[in-house]
Amino acid sequence: TRDSSVDFVLLIQGSFPSQFASGWMNAFASALKSRWERLVVAPKRNLTNGSLADAIKMRTMISDGDFEMYMQPIVDLRTGQLAKVEALARLETTEWGLVSPGVFLPVLRESEIDLLFRHGLSKSLQALRQWDDAGLFVDLTINISPMTISKKESVDWIVEALDRFE
């Protein structure tokens, strides 16, 4: 990074001479570098640490449902088959790039964390419905904060969302 601190070290070892000299391996390394830039370096460069304006913008995006749910595949290592997907909330802007949850979750108030769950559940169930309609049947997991699940209304939110997409 620009401040000379180390964020991450990736060590790839091979068993064969010149294993990493192939064209596809160079393409892989280039893609990995590009992805790292997009996910980690660019957001740090563009996001002002601790800025009240940035926090307000992130809270507004969450409240308005202006975020994406990324579906992380979870694979059964014994069979290599897709076991389920985990729905992960992500903020993305042209200004900041992809903002990690480690940046946006700490600025959210309790009510905004509830909205993140409710919007995220709806978006995830909508994606699941589209996959079901296309013949792809997969289980879905979604994270819920302890604060949100401890509220008696959370059961109603979940039932209402499931009813909408049943």
Side-chain angles (χ1 to χ4, degrees):
T1 64
R2 290 175 189 223
D3 64 1
S4 300
S5 65
V6 175
D7 287 325
F8 185 84
V9 174
L10 175 65
L11 176 63
I12 303 175
Q13 295 181 329
S15 300
F16 307 105
S18 302
Q19 179 174 343
F20 301 110
S22 68
W24 72 268
M25 194 50 143
N26 283 324
F28 170 77
S30 177
L32 189 61
K33 180 180 176 188
S34 173
R35 185 92 169 142
W36 183 257
E37 169 70 24
R38 181 173 171 243
L39 294 176
V40 178
V41 178
K44 285 182 181 177
R45 186 172 44 238
N46 297 330
L47 189 59
T48 308
N49 250 349
S51 161
L52 179 59
D54 289 344
I56 290 170
K57 182 175 180 176
M58 286 184 269
R59 291 198 313 258
T60 301
M61 289 176 72
I62 295 297
S63 295
D64 292 345
D66 190 15
F67 60 91
E68 298 297 322
M69 296 303 288
Y70 282 40
M71 301 301 171
Q72 174 69 47
I74 299 174
V75 176
D76 183 327
L77 294 178
R78 289 171 295 189
T79 65
Q81 299 296 311
L82 178 66
K84 57 187 163 186
V85 294
E86 180 180 12
L88 304 168
R90 297 293 183 260
L91 290 179
E92 187 167 9
T93 69
T94 54
E95 178 185 1
W96 300 329
L98 193 61
V99 181
S100 79
V103 173
F104 70 81
L105 285 176
V107 304
L108 298 181
R109 297 179 179 136
E110 185 176 339
S111 62
E112 293 153 344
I113 289 174
D114 293 345
L115 282 173
L116 173 65
F117 172 72
R118 294 176 72 186
H119 289 312
L121 180 60
S122 289
K123 289 173 181 263
S124 300
L125 290 173
Q126 183 175 7
L128 194 62
R129 177 52 149 314
Q130 290 172 342
W131 292 339
D132 284 351
D133 291 346
L136 176 63
F137 303 102
V138 63
D139 290 336
L140 171 79
T141 65
I142 186 168
N143 296 319
I144 183 170
S145 80
M147 287 184 305
T148 300
I149 201 165
S150 67
K151 294 180 179 171
K152 65 179 182 168
E153 304 96 341
S154 67
V155 172
D156 295 332
W157 298 336
I158 294 167
V159 169
E160 290 168 8
L162 290 171
D163 287 345
R164 272 196 316 271
F165 293 100
E166 194 168 30

